[in-house]
Amino acid sequence: MTERIESAYRLASDRYRELGVDTAEAMARLEEVAVSMHCWQGDDVGGFENAGSLTDGGLMATGNYPGKARTAEELRKDLEKAYSLIPGRHRVNLHAIYAETGGKKVDRNELTIEHFAGWVDWAKSLGLGMDFNPTYFAHPKAKSGFTLSSADDGIRKFWVEHGIACRKIGAEIGKRLGKPCVTNVWIPDGSKDVPIDRKTPRSLLAKSLDAIFAEKLDRKNNLDSVESKLFGIGSESYVVGSHEFYVGYAVKNGTMLTLDTGHFHPTEKVSDKISAVLLFLDEVQLHVSRGVRWDSDHVVIMCDELSSIAEEIVRGGFMDRVHIGLDYFDASINRIAAWVIGMRCMLRSMLTALLEPTEMLRKAERDGDFTARLALLEEVKALPASAVWDYYCLSHDAPVGESWLREVKTYEKEVFSNR
Ligand code: RNT
Ligand code: ZN
C-alpha cells in the first residue's frame, strides 16, 4: 500500500507542478495548522460538575451512542485515541465544567488553575496547545436565561467573577504550555419571546465584559475572545450578544472575535466575514460547526462552506491570524469518530486550499477574464489533492484513508463496552 500511495503522490505532485504549485511546500504549511479540538464532543457537553441541565443555556446534544466519557481520565483517553488518528500537532479546547475538583464542590467563581492542572500536564506531555472557555450555562444561576446581562446584580457579579477566574486560568495555561490560550466568552443570554427592552441587557453585558477584561493580561499567555449567536433554544426572539454587539465590542476593546459557523442566518457565510473583520481586528477564532437547517451542531464534513473557509484563510494570508477550532456535539455516532471525521475534514480542506493554484486564478480575475476564472475554479476541484492528503497522513504517522475507522471500532469494543 505504501508504494501505491507514494506513486500516486508523485503523479499528483507532477500535475500540481505543471500549475506552479509545490506540494512539499503545501504540506510543510499544513504542519503549521494547529486545530483546537473541542473536548465537549466526548461527553455531550456534560462536564464533571452535575450542577444543572445542559438545556439551561440552550444547548442540546441528541443521541445516546454507548461509551460516553464519564471522567477526566476517560475523556483524555478518548481524546488521545482521536489525536492518534489525525495527522499533525493540535490543541485541546476545554470548558470550565471540565474542572477536576477531587470530588469537592467548587463553584465556578472559585475555580483556579489548580483544578485544571491535570489537563495542563496531560496537554504538555502530548505537546498540545490548549484553549479555554468559561461556562455560562448548565448552572442554577443561568436558569433565568440571563447571566452577564442579568438585571440581578448578584447573578451578574457571580458570572463576572467566573469570567475573571477563567481569564486567570487561561493565562496560566498559556504560560505553562508556552503558547497563548484563547479564552472564549460565550453566553446564552436572551429571550424566548419578544422583549420590550433590548437595550438594557446589552448595556449590562458591555459593563460586565468591561469588568471581566479590566485587568490587562500578557497576550503571550492569554487571548480574549467573544462569541456571538443568532438564536438558541429558549432565546429564539432575542439574543443579547448578537453579531453586531460583539463586532462592535471587539473592535472597540481590541479583543478577538469568535465566528461560529452555526451562528448566522443559513445563507450568511462565515467565509465571507473573515476578510471583513480582519481589516479591523488582529485575530479571530473560528468555531467550525455544521448547521443543518439551524445551529444543530452536526459533525464537520467536506462541504462547500468548509472549502470556502479554508480558501479564505489561505488566500488572505491569514493563517497566523485565524485560530481554527471545532464546535459541535453529536451523541448519535461514535464520539471519537465524530472528532476524527471533523478534524480530518478540516485539515484536508486546508491542504486542498494550500494546493490551489491561486496565482493563476488571481490573474484571470485581475484580467477581467471571468470566463477563465470560473472554468479554472471548476477544473481545480478535480485536481488530485486526495493523493497528497494520503501521503501527508502516511508521512505523519496517521492512518491513510478509511483505515482509521478500524481502530475506532477496536477501541469501541475494548473500551466503550466496559463503560
Ligand atoms: C453555543 C456556542 C458555544 C458552545 C460551546 C460549548 O452556541 O457555540 O461555543 O457550543 O462553548
Ligand atoms: Zn461555538
Side-chain angles (χ1 to χ4, degrees):
M1 179 166 90
T2 305
E3 210 173 294
R4 183 179 54 72
I5 293 162
E6 285 172 352
S7 66
Y9 171 71
R10 274 194 299 275
L11 289 173
S13 191
D14 290 347
R15 174 69 181 113
Y16 277 109
R17 196 169 313 110
E18 286 173 2
L19 300 169
V21 174
D22 181 341
T23 52
E25 190 192 315
M27 290 190 296
R29 292 184 67 196
L30 187 63
E31 283 176 2
E32 303 299 309
V33 177
V35 178
S36 195
M37 194 164 90
H38 53 314
C39 80
W40 52 91
Q41 163 59 48
D43 74 334
D44 318 337
V45 210
F48 315 127
E49 222 182 33
N50 295 319
S53 145
L54 179 60
T55 45
D56 291 334
L59 303 182
M60 195 163 68
T62 53
N64 55 358
Y65 201 85
K68 165 166 130 175
R70 297 158 303 177
T71 62
E73 287 77 44
E74 288 182 354
L75 189 53
R76 286 194 281 260
K77 204 165 178 250
D78 294 355
L79 283 159
E80 272 175 45
K81 187 73 214 175
Y83 288 119
S84 76
L85 305 173
I86 299 158
R89 270 263 150 113
H90 299 288
R91 305 175 63 79
V92 61
N93 203 355
L94 214 61
H95 243 282
I97 43 171
Y98 292 86
E100 292 178 88
T101 60
K104 242 182 49 212
K105 180 170 164 41
V106 179
D107 214 344
R108 294 198 194 157
N109 58 342
E110 292 161 346
L111 290 169
T112 67
I113 186 67
E114 168 201 339
H115 307 115
F116 297 91
W119 283 103
V120 178
D121 292 346
W122 171 79
K124 196 171 209 167
S125 73
L126 293 178
L128 299 168
M130 204 161 154
D131 298 307
F132 196 61
N133 303 260
T135 312
Y136 290 101
F137 49 83
H139 189 280
K141 289 198 165 75
K143 245 185 157 36
S144 72
F146 290 87
T147 63
L148 290 179
S149 73
S150 169
D152 181 319
D153 293 345
I155 299 266
R156 237 174 31 249
K157 179 167 172 284
F158 173 82
W159 289 116
V160 164
E161 286 169 7
H162 178 52
I164 292 172
C166 287
R167 284 183 81 221
K168 288 197 177 127
I169 294 165
E172 190 57 31
I173 290 172
K175 197 166 151 203
R176 292 192 186 178
L177 295 180
K179 30 195 167 192
C181 167
V182 177
T183 301
N184 175 56
V185 172
W186 173 75
I187 60 165
D189 299 28
S191 80
K192 182 182 176 86
D193 225 323
V194 189
I196 306 305
D197 184 357
R198 292 174 186 264
K199 185 177 75 178
T200 306
R202 287 188 171 134
S203 60
L204 288 171
L205 175 56
K207 223 176 90 184
S208 295
L209 292 170
D210 288 349
I212 291 172
F213 298 136
E215 186 183 343
K216 291 281 155 261
L217 297 176
D218 194 336
R219 290 175 55 89
K220 271 209 323 272
N221 301 327
N222 182 73
L223 296 167
D224 297 305
S225 197
V226 288
E227 178 183 8
S228 70
K229 192 161 177 168
L230 180 64
F231 79 94
I233 304 167
S235 63
E236 290 85 354
S237 301
Y238 170 61
V239 166
V240 183
S242 60
H243 183 53
E244 291 72 12
F245 176 92
Y246 280 124
V247 171
Y249 191 88
V251 169
K252 184 170 173 200
N253 298 287
T255 68
M256 278 169 61
L257 182 71
T258 297
L259 297 168
D260 184 309
T261 57
H263 290 190
F264 296 90
H265 289 282
T267 59
E268 220 183 326
K269 299 292 173 218
V270 163
S271 52
D272 182 54
K273 299 181 188 297
I274 296 170
S275 60
V277 295
L278 282 180
L279 277 177
F280 307 103
L281 297 171
D282 292 338
E283 293 173 58
V284 295
Q285 183 185 45
L286 300 184
H287 271 187
V288 183
S289 183
R290 175 169 52 109
V292 175
R293 301 195 185 276
W294 58 290
D295 176 35
S296 55
D297 287 292
H298 280 61
V299 177
V300 165
I301 57 170
M302 292 286 285
C303 59
D304 284 354
E305 173 61 357
L306 189 69
S307 306
S308 302
I309 287 172
E311 286 158 7
E312 278 301 304
I313 296 172
V314 173
R315 291 176 189 162
F318 296 139
M319 277 184 39
D320 53 353
R321 295 172 63 197
V322 176
H323 300 248
I324 305 172
L326 304 185
D327 180 13
Y328 52 79
F329 20 97
D330 187 342
S332 72
I333 61 172
N334 182 300
R335 293 174 183 79
I336 297 178
W339 273 321
V340 177
I341 294 165
M343 290 289 282
R344 288 178 68 110
C345 287
M346 186 71 239
L347 291 167
R348 192 146 55 89
S349 70
M350 286 300 290
L351 178 64
T352 308
L354 287 162
L355 288 166
E356 182 186 79
T358 312
E359 213 17 70
M360 191 172 87
L361 297 167
R362 269 195 217 287
K363 184 172 181 312
E365 184 164 283
R366 266 198 314 266
D367 295 348
D369 187 352
F370 302 145
T371 308
R373 182 181 64 182
L374 184 62
L376 294 172
L377 266 175
E378 291 311 297
E379 290 301 329
V380 164
K381 287 181 185 166
L383 290 175
S386 65
V388 182
W389 168 249
D390 285 350
Y391 184 75
Y392 185 80
C393 289
L394 182 73
S395 53
H396 289 76
D397 276 336
V400 175
E402 73 284 1
S403 63
W404 63 265
L405 188 56
R406 270 198 304 277
E407 292 203 37
V408 169
K409 296 274 187 200
T410 309
Y411 187 88
E412 181 171 313
K413 246 193 242 112
E414 288 171 359
V415 183
F416 284 5
S417 56
N418 298 321
R419 286 188 185 165

